Amino acid sequence: MSQSTSKARIRKAVFPVAGLGTRFLPATKAVPKEMLTVVDRPVIQHVVDEARAAGIEHFIFVTGRNKGAIEDHFDIQYELDRTLRDRNKIKELQLLEIDLPGAGQTSFTRQQSPLGLGHAVWCAREIVGNEPFALLLPDMLHHGDAPCLKGMIDSFDRHQGNIVAVYEVPDNETHQYGIVGIEQKGGDLGITQMVEKPAKGTAPSNLAISGRYILKPEIFDILATQERGSGGEIQLTDAMITLAKSQEFYAHLFDGDIYDTGMKIGFLTANLALGLAHPELAAPLRAAIKRMGL
Ligand code: G1P
């Protein structure tokens, strides 16, 4: 079968992790914001786990200066392994092994200047190559019974179009996100409109882009010449608007909870919610909350 008639498969995922984390200072002065822990693992591990659960085979990190800890986290730490083995801490060893992508399954490239999300994605073009790919914004933790990216890949297998995950936000918050307009399209939701951070009172809906995408490689050609948009940055949403003129875009309404761990309140809420969902920690955490008289 030729390339054009065979069904494409999503094998690669891009994680933009170059952001400075200014909303979370001083915690992020020396530690990448993606390495802050939610319950017992770094934020970035939660998001990589979501991608692995969806069948992703190659993990592409767009990093920046002072983000070396992320690269180290996805490598074997020989001294640590040796010490755990010597002390017969087999459970801990196994935990480290489970989390680790296989040899050759990670790539790291750098976004040299903070020019925006669109520019960060464009920095991954050579590693992604000419195939559709997943994009996951690590700040946004998606927590639910059905993992978000898995659901998106299932729907991509049906229609082979671009997909943007969305969730409902309060009307007074729409100016903080990319917002989409939708319509029913067969059994799926088609996107009719996209706008990055609309001015208050002008949003086409309250469906916000949640930070999970499946995109076709033609997005890279558009990003190459994309002008700066909202906030003076090269915006991915603006490039998607151009791509939507020639390709289909679908919305995936995520059925679960989303926490913006790049913000203090989102980070704290994520720790509480995932702690209360943790098999070993739920009961003692509930007891601790009760002792606080809440
Ligand atoms: C980015 C996207 C925006 C999306 C948001 C989700 O914005 O540009 O469309 O709604 O992530 O977190 P940022 O948060 O980088 O300003």
Side-chain angles (χ1 to χ4, degrees), residues 53-196:
I56 295 297
E57 296 163 6
H58 194 137
F59 307 84
I60 302 163
F61 300 88
V62 181
T63 76
R65 285 176 290 282
N66 304 321
K67 296 278 185 166
I70 298 175
E71 212 159 325
D72 290 342
H73 178 74
F74 290 106
D75 195 3
I76 290 175
Q77 301 291 343
Y78 279 106
E79 292 82 358
L80 177 62
D81 278 16
R82 163 67 72 86
T83 309
L84 291 174
R85 217 175 293 277
D86 288 350
R87 295 183 184 170
N88 207 25
K89 294 208 178 276
I90 303 302
K91 196 176 152 212
E92 285 78 2
L93 258 176
Q94 284 169 342
L95 273 179
L96 292 182
E97 267 170 33
I98 291 168
D99 284 351
L100 197 63
Q105 286 192 309
T106 52
S107 294
F108 297 84
T109 187
R110 282 196 177 200
Q111 183 186 23
Q112 295 161 326
S113 317
L115 296 177
L117 176 61
H119 179 255
V121 173
W122 181 73
C123 289
R125 69 199 179 282
E126 293 293 339
I127 308 175
V128 171
N130 189 27
E131 58 182 279
F133 62 100
L135 168 67
L136 298 94
L137 308 192
D139 281 354
M140 302 297 274
L141 215 56
H142 288 53
H143 187 235
D145 294 336
C148 186
L149 190 62
K150 174 77 174 70
M152 294 169 75
I153 288 182
D154 288 347
S155 97
F156 179 80
D157 286 343
R158 275 199 308 278
H159 55 61
Q160 300 268 295
N162 298 278
I163 311 176
V164 179
V166 297
Y167 71 127
E168 278 182 46
V169 297
D171 289 340
N172 62 358
E173 289 181 16
T174 50
H175 65 287
Q176 300 172 17
Y177 299 94
I179 301 291
V180 307
I182 58 166
E183 69 180 9
Q184 207 64 41
K185 194 170 185 176
D188 292 291
L189 295 173
I191 291 182
T192 54
Q193 213 183 330
M194 290 184 262
V195 48
E196 182 64 19

Side-chain angles (χ1 to χ4, degrees), residues 23 116-118 137 139-140 165 167 176-179 195-197 208-213 233 235-237 240 260:
R23 290 183 299 170
L117 176 61
L137 308 192
D139 281 354
M140 302 297 274
Y167 71 127
Q176 300 172 17
Y177 299 94
I179 301 291
V195 48
E196 182 64 19
K197 305 200 175 77
I209 297 175
S210 74
R212 300 289 182 273
Y213 311 76
E233 297 189 336
Q235 294 291 350
L236 176 65
T237 306
M240 293 196 300
D260 185 351

